[in-house]
């Protein structure tokens, strides 16, 4: 009953904030320089939105506008580019009073939000005459404050949502931790899709194979370069090792039971340790050079020790499988006052790449202006 009382309280807040759209124009004199970023020839970085309270999740709605979850503000906003000039003209509040909202996705005109404690539906978020409401759908383990990813299944009948672990290496009594869950919107039930994923911070579907991909940050406490971070191909019912194994079925020293690792899945791709892979998106637009189609962009948050700098990386995909990793957008840390780091990515209807920069409170936009040339 407490959950439903809280929901009724939030209804009033959502209805109130839906009545007005708050303008946050970006002053030209205050624009942070995008020139500090390095991108491949032919690409250009520009500031799309600024002064956001901890942007994390990104998704484009059925209205072709960009929606952003703000972990710092406990809100979701719609970024409106009325004149289509590549700069946000206004910011409309969609929902407030949320608990560290992270992953967001649309099903019709309803927006679904992965909060720290639950999966929530915001009714009519993208409708012309919204009557905003909120319906708690799934409760997560108490105290889980890690960002949760959210992805709509192609059937549009279910969502995948990640639930992180609350430690580096430990046994847990809650079988929902360190998992990817699948929530069936028609049956209104949830089940563990896969387990042993310490923190699947980014989820994406590979259109070439139909497989679910998940980035994963490895545990700490084993050294500066062990274990590697991972990209996993997530299949139903599989175990990906945590906390007993890491990397290519390497036993954790706390457990030292290689036999247990024989039953786990090895990663599809390994990133350098402390890369902190977060958001992932496979490029589906048509304005980048054609050899980018189907490749993945990954937000690497980097290491506090500076072993891996924050960046957006390009993961080349060959025959549906991850192949090679290369830098795509670097330069975070060039502004001492507000270094920032990338956390989430989205491909827009215009084919541009949009990047949430949580620490700096910004969304960046990458466009291509060069001549599209296929490369091997």
């Amino acid at each position: 009953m407490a959950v439903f009382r809280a929901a009724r309280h939030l209804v009033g807040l959502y209805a109130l904030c839906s009545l007005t759209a708050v303008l946050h124009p970006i002053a030209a004199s205050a624009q942070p320089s995008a020139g500090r970023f390095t991108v491949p020839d032919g690409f250009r970085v520009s500031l799309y939105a600024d002064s956001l309270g901890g942007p994390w999740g990104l998704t484009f709605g059925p209205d072709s506008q960009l929606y952003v979850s703000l972990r710092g503000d406990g809100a979701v906003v719609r970024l409106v580019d009325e004149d289509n000039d590549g700069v946000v003209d206004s910011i409309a509040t969609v929902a407030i009073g949320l608990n560290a909202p992270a992953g967001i996705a649309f099903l019709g005109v309803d927006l679904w939000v992965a909060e720290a404690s639950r999966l929530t539906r915001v009714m009519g978020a993208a409708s012309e005459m919204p009557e905003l409401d909120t319906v708690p759908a799934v409760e997560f383990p108490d105290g889980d404050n890690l960002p949760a990813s959210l992805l709509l299944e192609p059937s549009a009948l279910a969502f995948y949502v990640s639930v992180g672990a609350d430690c580096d290496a430990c046994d847990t009594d809650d079988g929902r931790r360190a998992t990817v869950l699948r929530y069936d919107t028609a049956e209104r039930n949830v089940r563990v899709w896969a387990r042993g994923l310490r923190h699947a911070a980014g989820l994406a579907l590979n259109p070439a194979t139909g497989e679910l991909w998940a980035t994963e940050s490895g545990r700490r406490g084993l050294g500066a370069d062990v274990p590697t971070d991972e990209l996993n191909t997530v299949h139903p019912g599989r175990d990906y090792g945590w906390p007993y194994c890491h990397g290519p079925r390497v036993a954790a020293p706390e457990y030292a039971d290689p036999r247990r690792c024989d039953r786990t899945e090895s990663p599809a791709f390994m990133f350098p340790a402390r890369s902190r892979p977060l958001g992932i998106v496979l490029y589906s637009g048509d304005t980048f050079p054609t050899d980018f189609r189907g490749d993945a962009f990954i937000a690497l948050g980097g290491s506090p020790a500076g072993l891996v700098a924050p960046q957006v990386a390009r993961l080349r995909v060959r025959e549906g499988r991850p192949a090679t990793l290369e830098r795509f957008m670097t330069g975070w840390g060039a502004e001492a006052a507000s270094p920032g780091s990338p956390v989430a990515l989205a491909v827009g209807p215009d084919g541009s790449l949009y990047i949430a920069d949580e620490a700096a409170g910004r969304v960046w936009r990458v466009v291509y202006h060069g001549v599209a040339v296929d490369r091997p």
Side-chain angles (χ1 to χ4, degrees), residues 196 198 216 219 222 227 230 239-265:
R198 176 178 172 268
E216 183 182 7
R219 55 166 294 184
L222 298 181
E230 301 177 1
D239 186 336
Y240 292 82
W242 183 92
Y244 311 107
C245 318
H246 59 81
R249 297 174 175 164
V250 178
E254 294 88 344
Y255 302 96
D257 184 2
R259 294 172 300 176
R260 191 191 296 262
C261 298
D262 292 341
R263 301 188 296 271
T264 65
E265 301 295 319

PDB file of all heavy atoms in Angstrom, residues 196 198 216 219 222 227 230 239-265:
ATOM      1  N   GLY A 196      24.842 -13.299 -13.180  1.00  0.00           N
ATOM      2  CA  GLY A 196      26.296 -13.265 -13.160  1.00  0.00           C
ATOM      3  C   GLY A 196      26.895 -12.071 -13.848  1.00  0.00           C
ATOM      4  O   GLY A 196      28.077 -12.070 -14.207  1.00  0.00           O
ATOM      5  N   ARG A 198      27.867  -8.369 -13.158  1.00  0.00           N
ATOM      6  CA  ARG A 198      28.043  -7.498 -11.992  1.00  0.00           C
ATOM      7  C   ARG A 198      27.314  -6.175 -12.156  1.00  0.00           C
ATOM      8  O   ARG A 198      26.653  -5.695 -11.243  1.00  0.00           O
ATOM      9  CB  ARG A 198      29.531  -7.242 -11.744  1.00  0.00           C
ATOM     10  CG  ARG A 198      29.805  -6.271 -10.596  1.00  0.00           C
ATOM     11  CD  ARG A 198      31.282  -6.076 -10.353  1.00  0.00           C
ATOM     12  NE  ARG A 198      31.486  -5.009  -9.389  1.00  0.00           N
ATOM     13  CZ  ARG A 198      31.668  -3.736  -9.723  1.00  0.00           C
ATOM     14  NH1 ARG A 198      31.692  -3.382 -11.000  1.00  0.00           N
ATOM     15  NH2 ARG A 198      31.832  -2.813  -8.794  1.00  0.00           N
ATOM     16  N   GLU A 216      29.741  -4.468 -19.338  1.00  0.00           N
ATOM     17  CA  GLU A 216      29.868  -4.824 -17.924  1.00  0.00           C
ATOM     18  C   GLU A 216      31.189  -4.316 -17.371  1.00  0.00           C
ATOM     19  O   GLU A 216      32.252  -4.564 -17.947  1.00  0.00           O
ATOM     20  CB  GLU A 216      29.787  -6.341 -17.725  1.00  0.00           C
ATOM     21  CG  GLU A 216      29.842  -6.755 -16.257  1.00  0.00           C
ATOM     22  CD  GLU A 216      29.813  -8.262 -16.071  1.00  0.00           C
ATOM     23  OE1 GLU A 216      29.889  -8.993 -17.074  1.00  0.00           O
ATOM     24  OE2 GLU A 216      29.733  -8.705 -14.917  1.00  0.00           O
ATOM     25  N   ARG A 219      34.977  -6.133 -11.528  1.00  0.00           N
ATOM     26  CA  ARG A 219      35.206  -5.861 -10.109  1.00  0.00           C
ATOM     27  C   ARG A 219      36.548  -5.174  -9.909  1.00  0.00           C
ATOM     28  O   ARG A 219      37.380  -5.076 -10.820  1.00  0.00           O
ATOM     29  CB  ARG A 219      35.200  -7.174  -9.331  1.00  0.00           C
ATOM     30  CG  ARG A 219      36.198  -8.185  -9.882  1.00  0.00           C
ATOM     31  CD  ARG A 219      36.418  -9.317  -8.927  1.00  0.00           C
ATOM     32  NE  ARG A 219      37.057  -8.876  -7.706  1.00  0.00           N
ATOM     33  CZ  ARG A 219      37.432  -9.702  -6.734  1.00  0.00           C
ATOM     34  NH1 ARG A 219      37.222 -10.997  -6.840  1.00  0.00           N
ATOM     35  NH2 ARG A 219      38.011  -9.237  -5.654  1.00  0.00           N
ATOM     36  N   LEU A 222      41.780  -6.490  -7.541  1.00  0.00           N
ATOM     37  CA  LEU A 222      42.713  -7.518  -8.016  1.00  0.00           C
ATOM     38  C   LEU A 222      43.934  -6.931  -8.704  1.00  0.00           C
ATOM     39  O   LEU A 222      44.786  -7.681  -9.179  1.00  0.00           O
ATOM     40  CB  LEU A 222      41.995  -8.468  -8.981  1.00  0.00           C
ATOM     41  CG  LEU A 222      40.825  -9.275  -8.409  1.00  0.00           C
ATOM     42  CD1 LEU A 222      40.237 -10.185  -9.481  1.00  0.00           C
ATOM     43  CD2 LEU A 222      41.261 -10.085  -7.201  1.00  0.00           C
ATOM     44  N   PRO A 227      40.372  -7.340 -13.274  1.00  0.00           N
ATOM     45  CA  PRO A 227      40.062  -8.020 -14.531  1.00  0.00           C
ATOM     46  C   PRO A 227      39.716  -7.033 -15.626  1.00  0.00           C
ATOM     47  O   PRO A 227      39.519  -5.845 -15.361  1.00  0.00           O
ATOM     48  CB  PRO A 227      38.844  -8.860 -14.152  1.00  0.00           C
ATOM     49  CG  PRO A 227      38.127  -7.976 -13.178  1.00  0.00           C
ATOM     50  CD  PRO A 227      39.212  -7.303 -12.375  1.00  0.00           C
ATOM     51  N   GLU A 230      33.973  -5.885 -19.886  1.00  0.00           N
ATOM     52  CA  GLU A 230      33.479  -6.851 -20.858  1.00  0.00           C
ATOM     53  C   GLU A 230      32.302  -6.339 -21.692  1.00  0.00           C
ATOM     54  O   GLU A 230      31.560  -5.445 -21.271  1.00  0.00           O
ATOM     55  CB  GLU A 230      33.005  -8.121 -20.137  1.00  0.00           C
ATOM     56  CG  GLU A 230      34.069  -8.813 -19.323  1.00  0.00           C
ATOM     57  CD  GLU A 230      33.525 -10.022 -18.570  1.00  0.00           C
ATOM     58  OE1 GLU A 230      32.317 -10.333 -18.706  1.00  0.00           O
ATOM     59  OE2 GLU A 230      34.312 -10.664 -17.844  1.00  0.00           O
ATOM     60  N   ASP A 239      24.712 -18.024 -17.290  1.00  0.00           N
ATOM     61  CA  ASP A 239      25.420 -17.441 -16.146  1.00  0.00           C
ATOM     62  C   ASP A 239      26.731 -16.859 -16.661  1.00  0.00           C
ATOM     63  O   ASP A 239      27.524 -17.561 -17.311  1.00  0.00           O
ATOM     64  CB  ASP A 239      25.690 -18.527 -15.098  1.00  0.00           C
ATOM     65  CG  ASP A 239      26.296 -17.973 -13.802  1.00  0.00           C
ATOM     66  OD1 ASP A 239      26.917 -16.903 -13.850  1.00  0.00           O
ATOM     67  OD2 ASP A 239      26.144 -18.635 -12.757  1.00  0.00           O
ATOM     68  N   TYR A 240      26.978 -15.578 -16.351  1.00  0.00           N
ATOM     69  CA  TYR A 240      28.153 -14.885 -16.873  1.00  0.00           C
ATOM     70  C   TYR A 240      29.265 -14.729 -15.831  1.00  0.00           C
ATOM     71  O   TYR A 240      30.199 -13.968 -16.047  1.00  0.00           O
ATOM     72  CB  TYR A 240      27.726 -13.556 -17.514  1.00  0.00           C
ATOM     73  CG  TYR A 240      26.934 -13.830 -18.759  1.00  0.00           C
ATOM     74  CD1 TYR A 240      25.578 -14.144 -18.689  1.00  0.00           C
ATOM     75  CD2 TYR A 240      27.552 -13.888 -19.994  1.00  0.00           C
ATOM     76  CE1 TYR A 240      24.861 -14.472 -19.826  1.00  0.00           C
ATOM     77  CE2 TYR A 240      26.836 -14.208 -21.143  1.00  0.00           C
ATOM     78  CZ  TYR A 240      25.493 -14.502 -21.051  1.00  0.00           C
ATOM     79  OH  TYR A 240      24.788 -14.845 -22.179  1.00  0.00           O
ATOM     80  N   GLY A 241      29.138 -15.446 -14.716  1.00  0.00           N
ATOM     81  CA  GLY A 241      30.297 -15.657 -13.864  1.00  0.00           C
ATOM     82  C   GLY A 241      30.358 -14.955 -12.538  1.00  0.00           C
ATOM     83  O   GLY A 241      30.807 -15.531 -11.555  1.00  0.00           O
ATOM     84  N   TRP A 242      29.949 -13.677 -12.483  1.00  0.00           N
ATOM     85  CA  TRP A 242      30.142 -12.922 -11.248  1.00  0.00           C
ATOM     86  C   TRP A 242      29.347 -13.571 -10.112  1.00  0.00           C
ATOM     87  O   TRP A 242      28.205 -13.992 -10.319  1.00  0.00           O
ATOM     88  CB  TRP A 242      29.687 -11.469 -11.442  1.00  0.00           C
ATOM     89  CG  TRP A 242      29.932 -10.619 -10.230  1.00  0.00           C
ATOM     90  CD1 TRP A 242      31.035  -9.875  -9.968  1.00  0.00           C
ATOM     91  CD2 TRP A 242      29.066 -10.457  -9.109  1.00  0.00           C
ATOM     92  NE1 TRP A 242      30.918  -9.254  -8.760  1.00  0.00           N
ATOM     93  CE2 TRP A 242      29.712  -9.596  -8.201  1.00  0.00           C
ATOM     94  CE3 TRP A 242      27.810 -10.946  -8.768  1.00  0.00           C
ATOM     95  CZ2 TRP A 242      29.155  -9.213  -6.994  1.00  0.00           C
ATOM     96  CZ3 TRP A 242      27.247 -10.578  -7.553  1.00  0.00           C
ATOM     97  CH2 TRP A 242      27.912  -9.723  -6.684  1.00  0.00           C
ATOM     98  N   PRO A 243      29.905 -13.632  -8.885  1.00  0.00           N
ATOM     99  CA  PRO A 243      31.206 -13.144  -8.438  1.00  0.00           C
ATOM    100  C   PRO A 243      32.310 -14.191  -8.501  1.00  0.00           C
ATOM    101  O   PRO A 243      33.442 -13.925  -8.101  1.00  0.00           O
ATOM    102  CB  PRO A 243      30.917 -12.793  -6.977  1.00  0.00           C
ATOM    103  CG  PRO A 243      29.952 -13.853  -6.549  1.00  0.00           C
ATOM    104  CD  PRO A 243      29.080 -14.118  -7.755  1.00  0.00           C
ATOM    105  N   TYR A 244      32.002 -15.385  -9.026  1.00  0.00           N
ATOM    106  CA  TYR A 244      32.936 -16.506  -8.919  1.00  0.00           C
ATOM    107  C   TYR A 244      34.014 -16.499  -9.991  1.00  0.00           C
ATOM    108  O   TYR A 244      35.089 -17.065  -9.811  1.00  0.00           O
ATOM    109  CB  TYR A 244      32.154 -17.821  -8.983  1.00  0.00           C
ATOM    110  CG  TYR A 244      30.984 -17.846  -8.042  1.00  0.00           C
ATOM    111  CD1 TYR A 244      29.679 -17.745  -8.517  1.00  0.00           C
ATOM    112  CD2 TYR A 244      31.186 -17.929  -6.663  1.00  0.00           C
ATOM    113  CE1 TYR A 244      28.596 -17.743  -7.643  1.00  0.00           C
ATOM    114  CE2 TYR A 244      30.111 -17.927  -5.786  1.00  0.00           C
ATOM    115  CZ  TYR A 244      28.818 -17.836  -6.282  1.00  0.00           C
ATOM    116  OH  TYR A 244      27.752 -17.828  -5.410  1.00  0.00           O
ATOM    117  N   CYS A 245      33.720 -15.871 -11.133  1.00  0.00           N
ATOM    118  CA  CYS A 245      34.638 -15.894 -12.267  1.00  0.00           C
ATOM    119  C   CYS A 245      34.626 -14.541 -12.963  1.00  0.00           C
ATOM    120  O   CYS A 245      33.663 -13.781 -12.843  1.00  0.00           O
ATOM    121  CB  CYS A 245      34.234 -16.970 -13.271  1.00  0.00           C
ATOM    122  SG  CYS A 245      33.735 -18.538 -12.527  1.00  0.00           S
ATOM    123  N   HIS A 246      35.686 -14.279 -13.705  1.00  0.00           N
ATOM    124  CA  HIS A 246      35.728 -13.064 -14.512  1.00  0.00           C
ATOM    125  C   HIS A 246      36.499 -13.349 -15.787  1.00  0.00           C
ATOM    126  O   HIS A 246      37.268 -14.328 -15.880  1.00  0.00           O
ATOM    127  CB  HIS A 246      36.367 -11.898 -13.738  1.00  0.00           C
ATOM    128  CG  HIS A 246      37.784 -12.174 -13.279  1.00  0.00           C
ATOM    129  ND1 HIS A 246      38.866 -12.049 -14.100  1.00  0.00           N
ATOM    130  CD2 HIS A 246      38.262 -12.567 -12.070  1.00  0.00           C
ATOM    131  CE1 HIS A 246      39.973 -12.347 -13.434  1.00  0.00           C
ATOM    132  NE2 HIS A 246      39.635 -12.671 -12.201  1.00  0.00           N
ATOM    133  N   GLY A 247      36.306 -12.456 -16.778  1.00  0.00           N
ATOM    134  CA  GLY A 247      37.017 -12.636 -18.041  1.00  0.00           C
ATOM    135  C   GLY A 247      36.723 -13.987 -18.658  1.00  0.00           C
ATOM    136  O   GLY A 247      35.619 -14.527 -18.541  1.00  0.00           O
ATOM    137  N   PRO A 248      37.725 -14.583 -19.328  1.00  0.00           N
ATOM    138  CA  PRO A 248      37.505 -15.875 -19.997  1.00  0.00           C
ATOM    139  C   PRO A 248      37.547 -17.035 -18.999  1.00  0.00           C
ATOM    140  O   PRO A 248      38.442 -17.868 -19.007  1.00  0.00           O
ATOM    141  CB  PRO A 248      38.654 -15.938 -21.002  1.00  0.00           C
ATOM    142  CG  PRO A 248      39.746 -15.130 -20.379  1.00  0.00           C
ATOM    143  CD  PRO A 248      39.061 -14.026 -19.610  1.00  0.00           C
ATOM    144  N   ARG A 249      36.548 -17.045 -18.094  1.00  0.00           N
ATOM    145  CA  ARG A 249      36.377 -18.128 -17.119  1.00  0.00           C
ATOM    146  C   ARG A 249      37.558 -18.245 -16.152  1.00  0.00           C
ATOM    147  O   ARG A 249      38.022 -19.344 -15.841  1.00  0.00           O
ATOM    148  CB  ARG A 249      36.145 -19.457 -17.836  1.00  0.00           C
ATOM    149  CG  ARG A 249      34.868 -19.478 -18.648  1.00  0.00           C
ATOM    150  CD  ARG A 249      34.737 -20.751 -19.448  1.00  0.00           C
ATOM    151  NE  ARG A 249      33.451 -20.804 -20.137  1.00  0.00           N
ATOM    152  CZ  ARG A 249      33.182 -21.641 -21.131  1.00  0.00           C
ATOM    153  NH1 ARG A 249      34.104 -22.480 -21.555  1.00  0.00           N
ATOM    154  NH2 ARG A 249      31.989 -21.646 -21.704  1.00  0.00           N
ATOM    155  N   VAL A 250      38.028 -17.103 -15.672  1.00  0.00           N
ATOM    156  CA  VAL A 250      39.095 -17.075 -14.670  1.00  0.00           C
ATOM    157  C   VAL A 250      38.462 -17.071 -13.282  1.00  0.00           C
ATOM    158  O   VAL A 250      37.598 -16.231 -12.996  1.00  0.00           O
ATOM    159  CB  VAL A 250      39.991 -15.832 -14.847  1.00  0.00           C
ATOM    160  CG1 VAL A 250      41.069 -15.793 -13.766  1.00  0.00           C
ATOM    161  CG2 VAL A 250      40.617 -15.834 -16.241  1.00  0.00           C
ATOM    162  N   ALA A 251      38.868 -17.968 -12.422  1.00  0.00           N
ATOM    163  CA  ALA A 251      38.278 -18.077 -11.083  1.00  0.00           C
ATOM    164  C   ALA A 251      38.702 -16.912 -10.203  1.00  0.00           C
ATOM    165  O   ALA A 251      39.874 -16.525 -10.181  1.00  0.00           O
ATOM    166  CB  ALA A 251      38.679 -19.395 -10.437  1.00  0.00           C
ATOM    167  N   ALA A 252      37.765 -16.335  -9.473  1.00  0.00           N
ATOM    168  CA  ALA A 252      38.062 -15.273  -8.515  1.00  0.00           C
ATOM    169  C   ALA A 252      38.811 -15.870  -7.327  1.00  0.00           C
ATOM    170  O   ALA A 252      38.491 -16.975  -6.873  1.00  0.00           O
ATOM    171  CB  ALA A 252      36.778 -14.610  -8.049  1.00  0.00           C
ATOM    172  N   PRO A 253      39.811 -15.162  -6.789  1.00  0.00           N
ATOM    173  CA  PRO A 253      40.622 -15.741  -5.704  1.00  0.00           C
ATOM    174  C   PRO A 253      39.834 -16.025  -4.438  1.00  0.00           C
ATOM    175  O   PRO A 253      40.202 -16.919  -3.673  1.00  0.00           O
ATOM    176  CB  PRO A 253      41.698 -14.673  -5.473  1.00  0.00           C
ATOM    177  CG  PRO A 253      41.131 -13.414  -6.031  1.00  0.00           C
ATOM    178  CD  PRO A 253      40.280 -13.831  -7.178  1.00  0.00           C
ATOM    179  N   GLU A 254      38.743 -15.284  -4.200  1.00  0.00           N
ATOM    180  CA  GLU A 254      37.954 -15.530  -3.001  1.00  0.00           C
ATOM    181  C   GLU A 254      37.267 -16.895  -3.037  1.00  0.00           C
ATOM    182  O   GLU A 254      36.915 -17.452  -1.993  1.00  0.00           O
ATOM    183  CB  GLU A 254      36.890 -14.446  -2.817  1.00  0.00           C
ATOM    184  CG  GLU A 254      37.440 -13.056  -2.543  1.00  0.00           C
ATOM    185  CD  GLU A 254      37.714 -12.272  -3.809  1.00  0.00           C
ATOM    186  OE1 GLU A 254      37.767 -12.878  -4.911  1.00  0.00           O
ATOM    187  OE2 GLU A 254      37.871 -11.045  -3.707  1.00  0.00           O
ATOM    188  N   TYR A 255      37.064 -17.425  -4.244  1.00  0.00           N
ATOM    189  CA  TYR A 255      36.333 -18.679  -4.372  1.00  0.00           C
ATOM    190  C   TYR A 255      37.217 -19.803  -4.895  1.00  0.00           C
ATOM    191  O   TYR A 255      37.107 -20.945  -4.466  1.00  0.00           O
ATOM    192  CB  TYR A 255      35.118 -18.482  -5.288  1.00  0.00           C
ATOM    193  CG  TYR A 255      34.189 -17.412  -4.763  1.00  0.00           C
ATOM    194  CD1 TYR A 255      34.269 -16.100  -5.227  1.00  0.00           C
ATOM    195  CD2 TYR A 255      33.249 -17.707  -3.789  1.00  0.00           C
ATOM    196  CE1 TYR A 255      33.422 -15.116  -4.739  1.00  0.00           C
ATOM    197  CE2 TYR A 255      32.402 -16.726  -3.292  1.00  0.00           C
ATOM    198  CZ  TYR A 255      32.499 -15.434  -3.775  1.00  0.00           C
ATOM    199  OH  TYR A 255      31.667 -14.464  -3.285  1.00  0.00           O
ATOM    200  N   ALA A 256      38.100 -19.468  -5.851  1.00  0.00           N
ATOM    201  CA  ALA A 256      39.106 -20.413  -6.345  1.00  0.00           C
ATOM    202  C   ALA A 256      38.502 -21.778  -6.672  1.00  0.00           C
ATOM    203  O   ALA A 256      39.001 -22.819  -6.230  1.00  0.00           O
ATOM    204  CB  ALA A 256      40.239 -20.553  -5.328  1.00  0.00           C
ATOM    205  N   ASP A 257      37.454 -21.762  -7.440  1.00  0.00           N
ATOM    206  CA  ASP A 257      36.797 -22.998  -7.830  1.00  0.00           C
ATOM    207  C   ASP A 257      36.639 -23.004  -9.345  1.00  0.00           C
ATOM    208  O   ASP A 257      35.594 -22.620  -9.878  1.00  0.00           O
ATOM    209  CB  ASP A 257      35.444 -23.127  -7.141  1.00  0.00           C
ATOM    210  CG  ASP A 257      34.761 -24.453  -7.449  1.00  0.00           C
ATOM    211  OD1 ASP A 257      35.360 -25.277  -8.171  1.00  0.00           O
ATOM    212  OD2 ASP A 257      33.625 -24.659  -6.983  1.00  0.00           O
ATOM    213  N   PRO A 258      37.688 -23.421 -10.067  1.00  0.00           N
ATOM    214  CA  PRO A 258      37.611 -23.394 -11.536  1.00  0.00           C
ATOM    215  C   PRO A 258      36.464 -24.217 -12.094  1.00  0.00           C
ATOM    216  O   PRO A 258      35.955 -23.921 -13.177  1.00  0.00           O
ATOM    217  CB  PRO A 258      38.972 -23.968 -11.966  1.00  0.00           C
ATOM    218  CG  PRO A 258      39.868 -23.779 -10.786  1.00  0.00           C
ATOM    219  CD  PRO A 258      38.976 -23.908  -9.578  1.00  0.00           C
ATOM    220  N   ARG A 259      36.028 -25.246 -11.378  1.00  0.00           N
ATOM    221  CA  ARG A 259      34.945 -26.074 -11.878  1.00  0.00           C
ATOM    222  C   ARG A 259      33.657 -25.277 -12.036  1.00  0.00           C
ATOM    223  O   ARG A 259      32.854 -25.522 -12.937  1.00  0.00           O
ATOM    224  CB  ARG A 259      34.723 -27.258 -10.953  1.00  0.00           C
ATOM    225  CG  ARG A 259      35.890 -28.251 -10.916  1.00  0.00           C
ATOM    226  CD  ARG A 259      35.665 -29.278  -9.840  1.00  0.00           C
ATOM    227  NE  ARG A 259      35.550 -28.647  -8.529  1.00  0.00           N
ATOM    228  CZ  ARG A 259      35.276 -29.316  -7.417  1.00  0.00           C
ATOM    229  NH1 ARG A 259      35.072 -30.621  -7.458  1.00  0.00           N
ATOM    230  NH2 ARG A 259      35.186 -28.668  -6.259  1.00  0.00           N
ATOM    231  N   ARG A 260      33.473 -24.311 -11.141  1.00  0.00           N
ATOM    232  CA  ARG A 260      32.285 -23.472 -11.246  1.00  0.00           C
ATOM    233  C   ARG A 260      32.321 -22.643 -12.536  1.00  0.00           C
ATOM    234  O   ARG A 260      31.296 -22.385 -13.154  1.00  0.00           O
ATOM    235  CB  ARG A 260      32.187 -22.554 -10.023  1.00  0.00           C
ATOM    236  CG  ARG A 260      30.859 -21.825  -9.884  1.00  0.00           C
ATOM    237  CD  ARG A 260      30.948 -20.743  -8.815  1.00  0.00           C
ATOM    238  NE  ARG A 260      31.183 -21.276  -7.507  1.00  0.00           N
ATOM    239  CZ  ARG A 260      30.250 -21.499  -6.575  1.00  0.00           C
ATOM    240  NH1 ARG A 260      28.989 -21.246  -6.872  1.00  0.00           N
ATOM    241  NH2 ARG A 260      30.572 -21.955  -5.399  1.00  0.00           N
ATOM    242  N   CYS A 261      33.531 -22.223 -12.935  1.00  0.00           N
ATOM    243  CA  CYS A 261      33.669 -21.396 -14.130  1.00  0.00           C
ATOM    244  C   CYS A 261      33.375 -22.173 -15.409  1.00  0.00           C
ATOM    245  O   CYS A 261      33.077 -21.569 -16.450  1.00  0.00           O
ATOM    246  CB  CYS A 261      35.072 -20.799 -14.193  1.00  0.00           C
ATOM    247  SG  CYS A 261      35.471 -19.702 -12.814  1.00  0.00           S
ATOM    248  N   ASP A 262      33.461 -23.488 -15.367  1.00  0.00           N
ATOM    249  CA  ASP A 262      33.169 -24.292 -16.550  1.00  0.00           C
ATOM    250  C   ASP A 262      31.729 -24.117 -17.011  1.00  0.00           C
ATOM    251  O   ASP A 262      31.408 -24.372 -18.170  1.00  0.00           O
ATOM    252  CB  ASP A 262      33.433 -25.774 -16.262  1.00  0.00           C
ATOM    253  CG  ASP A 262      34.915 -26.070 -16.067  1.00  0.00           C
ATOM    254  OD1 ASP A 262      35.730 -25.244 -16.502  1.00  0.00           O
ATOM    255  OD2 ASP A 262      35.231 -27.125 -15.487  1.00  0.00           O
ATOM    256  N   ARG A 263      30.870 -23.680 -16.105  1.00  0.00           N
ATOM    257  CA  ARG A 263      29.448 -23.543 -16.425  1.00  0.00           C
ATOM    258  C   ARG A 263      29.060 -22.106 -16.771  1.00  0.00           C
ATOM    259  O   ARG A 263      27.871 -21.801 -16.888  1.00  0.00           O
ATOM    260  CB  ARG A 263      28.610 -24.040 -15.245  1.00  0.00           C
ATOM    261  CG  ARG A 263      28.872 -25.489 -14.873  1.00  0.00           C
ATOM    262  CD  ARG A 263      27.888 -25.993 -13.826  1.00  0.00           C
ATOM    263  NE  ARG A 263      28.022 -25.292 -12.551  1.00  0.00           N
ATOM    264  CZ  ARG A 263      28.845 -25.687 -11.573  1.00  0.00           C
ATOM    265  NH1 ARG A 263      29.615 -26.759 -11.740  1.00  0.00           N
ATOM    266  NH2 ARG A 263      28.895 -25.015 -10.429  1.00  0.00           N
ATOM    267  N   THR A 264      30.051 -21.227 -16.892  1.00  0.00           N
ATOM    268  CA  THR A 264      29.761 -19.818 -17.171  1.00  0.00           C
ATOM    269  C   THR A 264      30.140 -19.450 -18.599  1.00  0.00           C
ATOM    270  O   THR A 264      30.858 -20.195 -19.284  1.00  0.00           O
ATOM    271  CB  THR A 264      30.512 -18.902 -16.186  1.00  0.00           C
ATOM    272  OG1 THR A 264      31.930 -19.040 -16.394  1.00  0.00           O
ATOM    273  CG2 THR A 264      30.167 -19.268 -14.745  1.00  0.00           C
ATOM    274  N   GLU A 265      29.667 -18.283 -19.030  1.00  0.00           N
ATOM    275  CA  GLU A 265      29.915 -17.797 -20.378  1.00  0.00           C
ATOM    276  C   GLU A 265      31.106 -16.842 -20.405  1.00  0.00           C
ATOM    277  O   GLU A 265      31.231 -15.970 -19.544  1.00  0.00           O
ATOM    278  CB  GLU A 265      28.678 -17.068 -20.908  1.00  0.00           C
ATOM    279  CG  GLU A 265      27.423 -17.920 -20.954  1.00  0.00           C
ATOM    280  CD  GLU A 265      27.538 -19.061 -21.931  1.00  0.00           C
ATOM    281  OE1 GLU A 265      28.097 -18.835 -23.034  1.00  0.00           O
ATOM    282  OE2 GLU A 265      27.080 -20.170 -21.605  1.00  0.00           O
TER     283      GLU A 265
END
